[in-house]
Amino acid sequence: MDTIRIAIVEDEAVIALDIKRRLANLGYEITGVFHSGEDFLKHAINQEADLVLMDIVLDGPISGIETARIAYNRYGIPALFLTAYADDTTIDLIKSQEGTVGYITKPFNERELVASIELGLFKHDMARQTEIQKEWLTSLLSSMGDSLIVLDNNEKIIFLNHKAEELFGFNINEIKNKEIGEFVLFFDSETDFEFPLTHLGSFPEFEGALYFKNIYFKDRQGNKIYIEGSVSRIKPPIIPISLQNKGETHNPLPFYLEEGYVLVIRDNTALTNLTSTLQYHSGHDPLTGLINRNQILINIEEMLRENEKNKKESFFIFIDIDQFKVVNNLCGQIGGDMLLKETVEKLKQIIPENSILGRLGDDEFGIIIKNTAFTKAERIARNIIRALQHYFEWEGNEIPIAYSAGAVNISREYGDVYEIISAADSACSVAKEEGGNRVKVYKKEDNDFTEKRGELSWITRLHEAMRGHKLILYAQDIIPVKSEDTPKKEILIRLMEEEGVLIPPGEFIPIAERYNIMPLLDRWIVDEMLEYAQRLKAIGKLDNTVYAINLSSTTLLDESFSDFLEKKIVKSNLPADMFCFEITETTAIKNFKKAMMFVKRFKNLGCSFALDDFGMGFSSFAYLKQLPVDYLKIDGSFVQTITKNDVDFELVKTIHNVGRIMGMKTIAEFVSDKDIFDMLASIPVDYVQGYFLGRPQPLIMPE
């Protein structure tokens, strides 16, 4: 097929540049990038574009809608609209425009953009084919991108174009004048029932074309080939004698055909597989293959409706691995992943038949027990917990693993699906607080007490930890890929229990954020870091290392924190450029004005800033022009899979390239092995961080 030519009209230069780069990497030809409707129309006649990606809201006197209308009427260029608005008025306006092939809402990801382009162009092509059916002979005998099959009135094959020969794996000479059903059968992909493309005589009389999609056949190797296309009835006269033996020279049509059918078929296998993959990953956990939290919510909602309708009972069990944090700390991510997989295999073997199993979070699983009285919930959950207990083997050592569980009835009495999961989570939390390795059944009348008891206990523990020096600072190296760059360390925090057990931040930071303790906690971290740096300076060991300190969203919104921080840094007489403050992408976008003021204030002081967890949405790029950060810390979910997923590698590379253009350096976190490091170095990102390069170490206060 010819390369698809695309023009881009987008007034946000960074977004336009990013779209251009992505599409070019995917093999599309970019005919031009324009930032206004007037500029595009001025050059459209020379563009020869197959499609224009049109921002619906453009700066200037001509809107995206009007620009698309003029371009289509003058030059026949169809438009795929880019819009941040999905209200009915906007959508109706887009649909009413002639030459519109669809729209896609911002923010969007690369897969959505490619799918919209391909599907939009397909719809446009099919519409054009309908309009020129009277001249179908010219199309039939020309070089086509789609497969074309001509059948006579008895459904015997008269002609295949070259694309059809490739698709079905047959030469015209092998199957000419034979019924198509002898060689291939078609099936509905949703039902697997035979689809009557080989029984066209059974179709009622129709004019024009009948369109089909979601159909497949099996090739000679047994692989499913997904197709879509149209069936048109041929009526005489079809081919005047004067036009015979013209068109495609490799398979000319050598006779006059009175009546029959023409099948226009497009191989949709790649797109179907891509769509299926996206749908699967959107509903499944990539590590365990289990359905994810969203799918569990959907299934609980279905059970609520079914229970109401059939007057049956079902219940939900929330399971948590008691020692998961210990395993993760001792064995790293690889060990933690192995434990999760072991747990899943055990659960599959012991849960009741017809139960639904899914992964809720890091070490959390959910089980829907169908059509079972809630009075049996505690016994069933206890049997599951007992059967799960085992020793986890790692490098010759055995770690005892136990589990806690909470059970709740799937009933409207306990609220909606979110409240049901929350209730089971609360019951499981109580089970863990009471020592773990046990089951608690959620009772509505005890909910307020049990929930508050656990959370209030943490609030007290955190305040005592700050007063009693039970919080410990850790540091993890952020290694420059190029030796000339400044070394860095990210400051992390742990809580030391009385028994000497270290509690990771994931167990207390969410509660600190929920109850607005984070501003106090961040102040504590700042005080400790300044004291640490001053002691290093006093003994002559203060070097050029930059220390990265995470700031929460609640701290960023605290009006007094900025004054506190500035006074502390100025009073310390330490170089301000030794401090880099990390704020998450979500926090920056959600509190953009506050983030902007904070960043500008402390950059003027000499501090630097990193945007953490960057890359989760295209909308991020629009803010970078206004938010003057120094580093983009690429979200670890992309970095972890770059050796296995080409798309994630390209995303990491694109983020780095955008950062470089805007004068920002990139940091890749979650670097867990040498293969990941080597791929990152090939880009190359500026900094890397992860267990492969060094685990977090306690920050020892100099004497």
Side-chain angles (χ1 to χ4, degrees), residues 281-339:
H281 285 302
S282 69
H284 289 77
D285 169 49
L287 176 66
T288 64
L290 298 178
I291 60 173
N292 59 20
R293 188 182 191 91
N294 288 337
Q295 290 299 308
I296 291 175
L297 291 170
I298 292 171
N299 279 278
I300 292 176
E301 181 62 44
E302 290 177 355
M303 292 308 304
L304 283 169
R305 290 195 295 267
E306 185 176 323
N307 292 345
E308 288 177 331
K309 179 180 179 180
N310 301 323
K311 306 300 181 185
K312 294 182 178 181
E313 281 191 287
S314 302
F315 58 91
F316 178 70
I317 301 175
F318 188 109
I319 295 178
D320 188 284
I321 306 175
D322 291 343
Q323 288 81 17
F324 185 72
K325 303 300 181 184
V326 175
V327 172
N328 245 2
N329 288 337
L330 293 177
C331 309
Q333 181 182 340
I334 295 176
D337 288 350
M338 287 181 59
L339 175 57

Side-chain angles (χ1 to χ4, degrees), residues 9-25:
V9 183
E10 165 63 62
D11 54 10
E12 289 285 349
V14 174
I15 296 178
L17 179 63
D18 182 64
I19 294 173
K20 176 184 176 182
R21 181 180 299 108
R22 289 175 181 273
L23 293 181
N25 289 340

Side-chain angles (χ1 to χ4, degrees), residues 285-290 319-325 327-328 331-348 357-366 388 390 392-394 401 403 640:
D285 169 49
L287 176 66
T288 64
L290 298 178
I319 295 178
D320 188 284
I321 306 175
D322 291 343
Q323 288 81 17
F324 185 72
K325 303 300 181 184
V327 172
N328 245 2
C331 309
Q333 181 182 340
I334 295 176
D337 288 350
M338 287 181 59
L339 175 57
L340 290 171
K341 291 179 180 179
E342 284 186 9
T343 299
V344 169
E345 291 307 310
K346 289 179 179 294
L347 282 169
K348 288 179 178 178
L357 172 64
R359 185 181 178 190
L360 293 166
D362 288 343
D363 60 339
E364 300 165 344
F365 300 91
L388 281 174
H390 69 289
F392 176 68
E393 296 184 3
W394 180 261
I401 304 297
Y403 300 78
Q640 289 177 352

Side-chain angles (χ1 to χ4, degrees), residues 6-30 32-33 52-55 80-83 104 106 108-110 113-114 117 618 621 654 658:
I6 297 176
I8 300 170
V9 183
E10 165 63 62
D11 54 10
E12 289 285 349
V14 174
I15 296 178
L17 179 63
D18 182 64
I19 294 173
K20 176 184 176 182
R21 181 180 299 108
R22 289 175 181 273
L23 293 181
N25 289 340
L26 290 166
Y28 295 98
E29 179 182 340
I30 307 303
V33 176
V52 57
L53 296 184
M54 180 71 66
D55 187 3
L80 175 67
F81 284 103
L82 313 176
T83 177
I104 183 170
K106 303 175 184 178
F108 48 79
N109 59 41
E110 183 178 272
L113 181 59
V114 172
I117 291 172
F618 271 91
F621 293 102
T654 298
V658 171

Side-chain angles (χ1 to χ4, degrees), residues 46 135 161 345 541:
N46 300 318
E135 302 174 5
N161 71 350
E345 291 307 310
K541 292 186 177 182

